Amino acid sequence: MKINGIDVSEFQGNINWTDVKTDFVIIRAGYGREISQKDKNFEVNYQGCKKSEIPCGAYWYSYAVTPEEAVREAQVCLEAIKGKQFEFPVFFDIEEKRQLDLGMEKCSDIAAAFLKTVEKAGYFTGIYSSKSHLESFISEEIRKRYAVWVAHYGVSKTTYAGTYGMWQKSNSGSISGISGKVDLDECYEDYPNIIKKAGLNGFAKTSGTPAKRTKDLTITIDGATYSGTLTEK
């Protein structure tokens, strides 16, 4: 499968969600370690998606340079998204130079701390960064364990060396309802179905309705025979 989407933040300004036509949206929930750093347009963008019935996910931009700071970021992210439902994953965005300068082992530990904290709270989580950053600074173990959203521009198809569910293919797209440029994405996984079935991201776990037992029934009344099926209530 392949569906097309966008990701947005306060930098897109006031979006006219009535005019937006897209299969999904990933919304920036915020950044950093303080609730005051929640994206200024997160609430209105979330409500806009819901009113327009556009499936959405969220991402948190990280500045953490230790696992402890990443846990703090995760806790603030959870506070920001509390009470909301997301059909797509909650992504950890790691791309700051001072994080990458720490090397793969420490970057991986930082990412794992955030992802595990949010996952334990009942969310389907994933990691976002550029192709080169993911390949060079995030361990294969993490990239296989969590959903991957890879950024790679200027190519007809990403050459990312690994399994990924989403590809951010451009940071200069154009779409109705949004003034200026917007990131364009493709998704290849049925995240809404996976998430809803598992009861994650604010959704109640779904279960199949047990089949009702039936049996054929034949009765005779005053010489007349009647046949039918009896269904157990």
Side-chain angles (χ1 to χ4, degrees):
M1 62 166 281
K2 182 185 82 171
I3 57 175
N4 297 308
I6 59 174
D7 56 275
V8 300
S9 70
E10 63 188 62
F11 298 112
Q12 273 65 55
N14 296 321
I15 297 172
N16 183 350
W17 286 103
T18 303
D19 290 346
V20 172
K21 306 300 179 187
T22 187
D23 295 322
F24 68 94
V25 179
I26 309 298
I27 311 166
R28 188 177 79 156
Y31 59 96
R33 294 178 290 165
E34 305 298 332
I35 193 61
S36 60
Q37 294 172 299
K38 183 169 76 169
D39 189 285
K40 293 176 182 177
N41 284 6
F42 174 57
E43 295 291 343
V44 68
N45 284 338
Y46 175 81
Q47 292 300 329
C49 285
K50 292 302 177 180
K51 288 181 181 178
S52 296
E53 298 184 343
I54 304 173
C56 64
Y59 75 94
W60 194 266
Y61 189 96
S62 175
Y63 289 98
V65 292
T66 66
E68 292 75 20
E69 288 183 359
V71 169
R72 171 59 183 166
E73 288 186 338
Q75 292 168 341
V76 175
C77 174
L78 290 170
E79 183 178 351
I81 67 177
K82 184 178 180 180
K84 294 178 171 59
Q85 292 180 322
F86 299 99
E87 295 85 358
F88 281 74
V90 176
F91 288 97
F92 178 65
D93 181 348
I94 180 168
E95 55 185 279
E96 284 289 304
K97 183 180 183 301
R98 68 180 190 138
Q99 295 173 314
L100 304 178
D101 286 344
L102 298 171
M104 177 179 283
E105 183 177 353
K106 290 185 177 180
C107 282
S108 298
D109 289 343
I110 289 167
F114 182 99
L115 293 166
K116 288 178 181 178
T117 301
V118 176
E119 184 179 54
K120 286 180 181 178
Y123 292 88
F124 190 106
T125 55
I127 187 164
Y128 163 91
S129 201
S130 71
K131 170 189 179 295
S132 61
H133 293 167
L134 287 168
E135 292 173 348
S136 301
F137 300 103
I138 301 298
S139 69
E140 186 176 4
E141 179 183 1
I142 288 177
R143 290 186 284 134
K144 285 183 175 180
R145 171 67 179 78
Y146 297 97
V148 171
W149 175 19
V150 56
H152 191 184
Y153 310 145
V155 294
S156 58
K157 190 67 178 176
T158 181
T159 54
Y160 168 72
T163 301
Y164 59 98
M166 284 173 40
W167 169 37
Q168 187 184 74
K169 61 184 181 180
S170 173
N171 63 350
S172 58
S174 179
I175 191 170
S176 61
I178 297 177
S179 300
K181 302 301 181 182
V182 65
D183 297 338
L184 301 179
D185 303 280
E186 290 182 359
C187 179
Y188 314 101
E189 296 285 348
D190 189 356
Y191 288 124
N193 184 51
I194 295 169
I195 287 168
K196 289 178 181 179
K197 278 190 173 182
L200 301 171
N201 294 15
F203 291 97
K205 187 173 183 179
T206 60
S207 59
T209 303
K212 293 182 178 180
R213 291 183 294 177
T214 62
K215 65 177 181 179
D216 294 330
L217 180 67
T218 300
I219 60 174
T220 300
I221 301 176
D222 295 331
T225 301
Y226 301 90
S227 299
T229 301
L230 179 65
T231 302
E232 181 185 63
K233 293 186 177 179

